[in-house]
């Protein structure tokens, strides 16, 4: 098969299932580009309090004053002047799928969201371009005081709680794209789980881009109160366009004493999307937080979920999966900051590259002087599917306390001819054999996922593998 | 008449080194053949070439299976058509369970006969696995282990025969399945193969020792030296080798060669 044909194959498979597009049906679209007027327009359309508008405008200044980072993948090809920063999909956010505009509902049907909600979710949100078009949580959870709303509704209905936490985990000055998000945020979830409430089924939000050349700036805030438990899942897809889009989210999470939370991302962007996301969790005493971060697709992803272990007994885990195909760069990893004694953490990163894709593990493990007896392990494994793909690791480790135990391992392997031959000699086609080796490589992570999501992951890997000839 | 595997004047090079130099052999369904020969004589090269390993280049000759020349076919197609090789050195696939792997392999076969096939239902597959594992006296937890990953030498060989039992090939090549098996395991595995054997299965047993042939009784024995089959005969040939070694054959070769 020729290169062009191969590429065609991959595109077709993605287009068929995720890369399709709907006609434009937005109710409002700001002009292209970014300035104070656009920011003001967003704030006004959302009917926000003055303090929020002020914060947005301040953040815009920070964004404009910070240089584009040059320590990672090359972002110089991206131009903000070509981007629509705000595209409002519908007049109102619906509480029932029947009230979602027909075209949009059809898209989410096709992506299987209402069905998943029925079967195994405790609540679901769906964002289309710049705003949530649907948000709903099971009645019995609402009765227990669980809040699961769009971020806009969160601000409107729970302003005190919102203001108490907004920008405290990730301030606007944290990095250029956190500043950008703070200026133009739109959509995302607002979640509060009261003390002791354990939600066994996941809450899920799905982020969908439709318009070409759009920027999506989801802002999510999650507070898991003492002794509570939450699993939140985020899925993302987009149509395939020849022009670039931008997804730049900020996720702030606070996990209080004895609570446990897990945030799973299964991102499956088309390969014209820049994906620059900041996500951080603050973990209190004897609490734990886990990031399960699966990054498939996109043009460039830069994403390093972080965990701050603030009090004794806090635990953090980052399980990162990156799949870089043709013309894709996955710069992913994680950061763990041990601030208090007896805190523990684990980072496991698995990356896969094929058809010239590039993946980097970029991680930081930092142990402050007070964090006596902290323990951490970092494992990063890369699997290359051919000779022209590449993988790097940048593991930064800064330890300022001598009583700390740290383990670090890194491996790079290639799918061998012998593995392929073995599987094919049992009747599996080349793609299937490759996908099987890849799924096996990821198995230590996918087995951590609820069954529905591990099936989904396996299917997505299969899709990524389709059309590849080594 | 059943399917036959016919090797005609096969020449194979590895990295431009000639290894097989004109091999002729026919194995039919319902027959058991033994292939013996010194280390490095080309036995595994022959079996790998039959299955289509990309490192082995066929420079002359043919491999006909069931009346069709299979030389241009990928290994997966050869397998789905009914060829099987139990590897001398099975390869580990971390993270993939024996059961998951075999179910996929089985489904790939089913899809060949019917592209619409939805795959074997899980309960039917489970039953099949248990039946075959019991036949080979394997612990059921084996199905959940990662394929050949951390298996002992003997476990690997047993797992190869489990795959053969599940996939039900027409012609199976067993490349030194006996090496690495303890005495009891050799008996169990051999009895398993004997159970599978019948008019629909032809077997090519590659071995260095008579022991396995006491269980899996060949009608034909062939000896390979330096890339050619230099002697063929009945079961007595294997016994003769066990007593005499290969020297008499080498002498015979040298005698006739000059
Ligand atoms: N993949 C390979 N790469 C390089 N050389 C090879 C390869 N496969 C086989 N050879 C060479 O071909 C020759 C025959 O090897 P082969 O494995 O076929 O022998 P064998 O008869 O199976 O031996 P044994 O009884 O030790 O298993 C040897 O010299 C071997 O080194
Ligand atoms: Mg051999």
């Amino acid at each position: 098969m020729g290169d062009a044909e191969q590429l065609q194959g991959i595109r077709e498979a993605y287009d068929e299932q995720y890369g399709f597009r709907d006609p434009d049906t937005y109710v409002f679209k700001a002009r292209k580009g970014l300035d104070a007027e656009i920011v003001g327009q967003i704030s006004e359309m959302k009917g926000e309090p003055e303090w929020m508008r002020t914060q947005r405008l301040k953040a815009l200044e920070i964004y404009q004053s910070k240089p584009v980072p040059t320590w990672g993948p090359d972002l110089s090809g991206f131009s903000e002047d070509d981007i629509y920063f705000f595209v409002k999909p519908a007049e109102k956010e619906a509480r029932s799928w029947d009230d979602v505009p027909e075209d949009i509902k059809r898209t989410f049907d096709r992506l299987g969201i209402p069905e998943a909600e029925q079967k195994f979710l405790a609540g679901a949100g769906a964002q289309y371009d710049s705003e949530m078009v649907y948000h709903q949580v099971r009645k019995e959870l609402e009765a227990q005081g669980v809040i699961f709303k769009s971020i806009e509704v969160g601000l409107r209905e729970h302003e005190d709680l919102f203001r108490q936490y907004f920008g405290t985990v990730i301030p606007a000055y944290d990095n250029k794209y956190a500043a950008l998000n703070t200026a133009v945020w739109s959509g995302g979830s607002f979640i509060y789980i009261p003390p002791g409430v354990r939600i066994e089924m996941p809450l899920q939000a799905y982020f969908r881009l439709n318009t070409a050349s759009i920027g999506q700036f989801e802002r999510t805030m999650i507070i898991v109160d003492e002794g509570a438990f939450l699993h939140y899942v985020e899925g993302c897809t987009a149509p395939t366009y020849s022009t670039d889009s931008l997804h730049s989210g900020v996720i702030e999470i606070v996990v209080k004493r004895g609570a446990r939370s897990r945030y799973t991302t299964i991102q499956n962007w088309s390969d014209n999307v820049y994906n620059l996301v900041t996500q951080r969790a603050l973990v209190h005493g004897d609490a734990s937080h886990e990031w399960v971060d699966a990054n498939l697709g996109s043009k460039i992803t830069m994403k390093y979920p972080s965990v701050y272990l603030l009090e004794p007994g806090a635990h953090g885990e980052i399980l990162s999966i990156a799949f870089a195909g043709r013309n894709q760069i996955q710069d992913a990893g994680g950061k763990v900051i041990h601030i208090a004694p007896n805190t523990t953490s684990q980072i496991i990163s698995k990356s896969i590259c094929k058809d010239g894709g590039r993946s980097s593990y970029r991680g930081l493990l930092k142990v402050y002087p007070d964090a006596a007896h902290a323990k951490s392990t970092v494992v990063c494994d890369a699997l290359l599917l051919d000779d022209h793909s590449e993988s790097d690791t940048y593991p930064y480790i800064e330890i300022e306390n001598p009583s700390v135990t740290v383990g670090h391992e890194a491996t790079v392997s290639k799918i061998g001819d012998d593995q392929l031959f073995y599987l094919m000699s049992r009747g599996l086609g080349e793609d299937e054999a490759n996908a099987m080796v890849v799924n096996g490589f990821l198995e230590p992570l996918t087995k951590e996922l609820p069954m529905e999501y591990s099936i989904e992951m396996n299917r997505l890997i299969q899709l990524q593998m389709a059309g590849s000839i080594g | 008449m059943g399917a036959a595997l016919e090797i005609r004047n096969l020449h194979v090079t590895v990295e431009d080194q000639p290894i097989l130099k004109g091999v002729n052999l026919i194995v039919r369904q319902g027959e058991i053949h033994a292939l013996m020969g010194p280390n490095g004589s080309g036995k595994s090269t022959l079996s790998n070439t039959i299955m289509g390993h990309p490192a082995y280049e066929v420079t002359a000759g043919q491999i006909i299976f069931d009346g069709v020349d299979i030389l241009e076919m990928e290994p997966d197609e050869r397998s789905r058509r009914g060829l099987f090789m139990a590897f001398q050195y099975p390869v580990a696939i971390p993270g993939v369970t024996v059961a998951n792997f075999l179910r996929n392999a089985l489904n790939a076969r089913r899809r060949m006969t019917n592209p619409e096939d939805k795959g074997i239902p899980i309960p039917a597959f489970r039953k099949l696995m248990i039946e075959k594992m019991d036949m080979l006296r394997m612990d059921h937890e084996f199905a959940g282990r990662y394929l050949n990953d951390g298996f002992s030498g003997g476990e690997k060989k047993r797992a190869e025969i489990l795959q053969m039992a599940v996939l039900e090939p027409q012609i199976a090549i067993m490349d030194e399945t006996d090496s690495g098996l303890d005495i009891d395991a050799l008996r169990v595995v051999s009895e398993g193969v004997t159970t599978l054997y019948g008019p629909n299965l032809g077997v090519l047993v590659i071995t260095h020792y008579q022991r396995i042939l006491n269980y899996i009784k060949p009608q034909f024995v062939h000896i390979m030296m330096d890339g050619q089959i230099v002697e063929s005969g009945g079961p007595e040939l294997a016994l003769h080798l066990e007593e005499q070694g290969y020297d008499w054959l080498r002498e015979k070769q040298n005698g006739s060669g000059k």
Side-chain angles (χ1 to χ4, degrees):
Chain A
M1 230 201 268
D3 279 6
E5 252 176 285
Q6 268 181 41
L7 186 57
Q8 196 66 28
I10 298 166
R11 287 265 191 180
E12 271 166 17
Y14 187 92
D15 283 354
E16 167 78 19
Q17 291 180 49
Y18 307 104
F20 61 89
R21 55 188 86 160
D22 301 330
D24 286 341
T25 52
Y26 50 80
V27 296
F28 175 79
K29 189 177 187 178
R31 68 175 153 77
K32 277 186 179 176
L34 178 64
D35 52 29
E37 191 185 57
I38 301 268
V39 171
Q41 218 168 30
I42 295 172
S43 184
E44 191 169 320
M45 293 204 69
K46 292 183 188 297
E48 286 175 354
E50 192 50 35
W51 68 267
M52 190 69 247
R53 183 189 172 91
T54 313
Q55 275 210 26
R56 283 182 185 274
L57 289 166
K58 231 186 263 163
L60 178 66
E61 281 172 24
I62 298 171
Y63 168 71
Q64 286 166 339
S65 70
K66 279 188 187 283
V68 173
T70 51
W71 43 263
D74 180 9
L75 297 171
S76 62
F78 176 77
S79 160
E80 66 183 41
D81 297 339
D82 296 335
I83 294 286
Y84 294 105
F85 279 78
F86 185 63
V87 180
K88 187 177 169 67
E91 284 300 344
K92 261 178 70 87
E93 175 187 319
R95 302 275 281 168
S96 149
W97 283 106
D98 291 337
D99 298 334
V100 174
E102 195 49 39
D103 277 340
I104 300 181
K105 175 173 185 296
R106 204 172 322 115
T107 287
F108 287 111
D109 275 339
R110 198 164 158 184
L111 296 166
I113 309 303
E115 193 190 338
E117 180 184 13
Q118 287 291 320
K119 278 198 194 144
F120 60 85
L121 298 175
Q127 176 155 347
Y128 193 82
D129 288 343
S130 293
E131 286 185 350
M132 287 273 172
V133 291
Y134 174 84
H135 232 275
Q136 185 58 281
V137 64
R138 295 201 183 209
K139 290 278 165 294
E140 64 272 22
L141 294 176
E142 215 165 33
Q144 290 176 66
V146 170
I147 302 172
F148 176 59
K149 295 181 174 161
S150 74
I151 190 89
E152 285 86 357
V153 175
L155 170 56
R156 208 176 309 135
E157 297 179 1
H158 309 276
E159 188 175 338
D160 290 346
L161 193 60
F162 184 104
R163 198 171 177 178
Q164 186 186 344
Y165 289 101
F166 183 87
T168 59
V169 182
I170 304 173
Y173 55 77
D174 187 84
N175 68 75
K176 186 171 176 75
Y177 298 97
L180 174 63
N181 179 283
T182 308
V184 296
W185 66 262
S186 185
S189 299
F190 181 80
I191 300 174
Y192 173 76
I193 314 295
V197 173
R198 305 180 58 81
I199 307 187
E200 298 305 335
M201 290 189 295
L203 296 177
Q204 179 184 282
Y206 199 94
F207 294 84
R208 174 76 184 170
L209 298 181
N210 184 59
T211 304
S213 304
I214 193 180
Q216 189 178 55
F217 306 96
E218 120 203 37
R219 181 89 184 196
T220 287
M221 212 195 297
I222 300 176
I223 297 128
V224 188
D225 215 328
E226 298 190 357
F229 171 70
L230 165 71
H231 183 191
Y232 178 84
V233 183
E234 176 198 20
C236 329
T237 57
T240 309
Y241 285 113
S242 55
T243 55
D244 295 333
S245 297
L246 171 65
H247 175 258
S248 188
V250 165
I251 319 294
E252 300 183 282
I253 300 183
V254 177
V255 193
K256 301 245 180 126
R257 164 165 289 282
R260 190 177 153 219
S261 76
R262 167 181 273 199
Y263 188 108
T264 298
T265 303
I266 300 183
Q267 156 204 317
N268 183 26
W269 295 118
S270 53
D271 56 14
N272 54 308
V273 176
Y274 283 88
N275 184 44
L276 313 170
V277 175
T278 310
Q279 34 190 68
R280 185 172 302 160
L282 304 184
V283 186
H284 291 84
D286 300 319
S288 80
H289 178 78
E290 295 151 49
W291 295 108
V292 179
D293 196 39
N295 299 305
L296 290 83
S298 83
K299 182 172 191 168
I300 295 179
T301 286
M302 293 175 73
K303 180 132 74 89
Y304 325 97
S306 65
V307 186
Y308 284 60
L309 304 170
L310 301 180
E311 293 173 1
H315 175 74
E317 267 177 48
I318 300 166
L319 309 178
S320 169
I321 297 171
F323 195 123
R326 185 184 298 266
N327 298 328
Q328 296 174 352
I329 299 177
Q330 301 285 0
D331 204 79
K335 298 187 217 173
V336 180
I337 319 292
H338 289 259
I339 293 160
N342 299 312
T343 46
T344 52
S345 68
Q346 184 179 43
I347 301 179
I348 301 178
S349 155
K350 297 247 177 193
S351 66
I352 298 146
C353 308
K354 85 176 201 351
D355 297 332
R358 293 196 55 156
S359 79
S360 302
Y361 166 78
R362 199 179 294 277
L364 172 67
L365 170 63
K366 183 160 174 87
V367 181
Y368 277 92
D370 285 350
H373 310 293
K375 277 202 192 88
S376 179
T377 43
V378 178
V379 180
C380 23
D381 299 324
L383 180 67
L384 305 178
L385 301 195
D386 51 49
D387 290 325
H388 50 292
S389 300
E390 272 178 74
S391 150
D392 306 297
T393 52
Y394 304 97
Y396 299 99
I397 298 183
E398 298 167 16
I399 311 267
E400 296 174 22
N401 183 300
S403 65
V404 163
T405 319
V406 172
H408 182 261
E409 284 170 45
T411 65
V412 178
S413 49
K414 244 199 89 184
I415 289 194
D417 284 347
D418 286 328
Q419 280 183 319
L420 273 188
F421 174 62
Y422 187 75
L423 294 175
M424 288 177 74
S425 80
R426 301 310 190 226
L428 300 173
E430 182 166 356
D431 285 348
E432 212 180 340
N434 265 310
M436 192 170 265
V437 176
V438 170
N439 280 327
F441 172 75
L442 293 178
E443 153 84 14
L445 299 191
T446 46
K447 75 168 186 232
E448 294 292 314
L449 298 174
M451 194 185 54
E452 290 81 4
Y453 294 101
S454 66
I455 292 172
E456 168 81 355
M457 269 301 292
N458 284 1
R459 222 170 49 75
L460 292 179
I461 296 290
Q462 212 97 28
L463 180 68
Q464 291 281 331
M465 302 300 300
S468 98
I469 301 291
Chain B
M1 208 187 72
L5 174 67
E6 287 183 60
I7 319 286
R8 294 186 193 153
N9 188 32
L10 188 69
H11 286 70
V12 172
T13 61
V14 180
E15 292 167 358
D16 294 329
Q17 280 290 324
I19 308 290
L20 298 187
K21 302 162 185 171
V23 175
N24 292 287
L25 180 67
I26 300 182
V27 181
R28 295 189 174 82
Q29 273 183 306
E31 294 177 353
I32 298 178
H33 293 244
L35 178 62
M36 306 177 80
N39 294 130
S41 56
K43 304 179 298 296
S44 296
T45 300
L46 176 64
S47 38
N48 279 307
T49 307
I50 292 170
M51 279 322 293
H53 192 297
Y56 298 82
E57 191 191 345
V58 176
T59 51
Q62 286 177 303
I63 303 179
I64 312 286
F65 178 53
D66 204 5
V68 184
D69 188 335
I70 60 168
L71 274 184
E72 292 302 315
M73 291 176 192
E74 295 290 322
D76 53 315
E77 187 173 355
R78 301 183 193 205
S79 161
R80 292 192 301 261
R81 282 171 177 261
L83 285 174
F84 181 89
M85 164 168 85
F87 282 57
Q88 182 173 4
Y89 304 108
V91 182
I93 314 287
V96 177
T97 63
V98 172
N100 183 22
F101 162 65
L102 269 177
R103 195 162 51 81
N104 278 284
L106 202 58
N107 287 340
R109 280 178 150 60
R110 291 165 60 115
R111 273 200 309 275
M112 190 177 77
T113 31
N114 171 17
E116 304 292 298
D117 188 85
K118 290 280 178 287
I120 181 170
I122 304 274
F125 178 70
R126 190 167 294 151
K127 192 160 156 275
L128 178 71
M129 282 291 283
I130 286 176
E131 179 194 317
K132 303 300 183 190
M133 285 192 295
D134 285 348
M135 179 184 87
L136 294 166
R137 312 241 183 103
M138 295 168 89
D139 200 325
H140 293 178
E141 61 100 52
F142 211 82
R145 286 182 64 183
Y146 295 150
L147 187 58
N148 297 325
D149 194 21
F151 285 15
S152 75
E155 284 171 339
K156 282 185 190 167
K157 296 304 175 80
R158 222 183 260 232
E160 292 293 290
I161 302 308
L162 173 67
Q163 296 175 41
M164 171 174 155
V166 170
L167 297 179
E168 297 185 333
Q170 293 164 6
I171 302 286
I173 304 163
M174 294 166 54
D175 194 353
E176 293 199 31
T177 300
D178 51 348
S179 70
L181 289 175
D182 68 40
I183 295 166
D184 292 337
L186 178 65
R187 185 171 41 78
V188 170
V189 168
S190 304
E191 281 169 5
V193 174
T194 316
T195 313
L196 298 174
Y197 173 63
N200 294 323
L201 177 64
V203 188
L204 179 64
V205 185
I206 298 176
T207 182
H208 289 291
Y209 305 105
Q210 171 62 32
R211 220 175 36 192
I212 189 172
L213 304 180
N214 292 335
Y215 299 105
I216 308 174
K217 297 196 165 65
Q219 295 101 11
F220 309 92
V221 176
H222 313 274
I223 298 167
M224 179 174 274
M225 287 180 88
D226 193 22
Q228 285 180 320
I229 290 179
V230 295
E231 192 83 22
S232 292
E236 73 289 346
L237 185 55
L239 291 166
H240 190 68
L241 269 189
E242 186 96 337
E243 280 167 27
Q244 305 278 321
Y246 292 105
D247 278 352
W248 62 279
L249 265 171
R250 287 200 182 94
E251 276 159 30
K252 194 169 156 187
Q253 283 302 101
N254 288 339
S256 68
K258 300 221 163 107

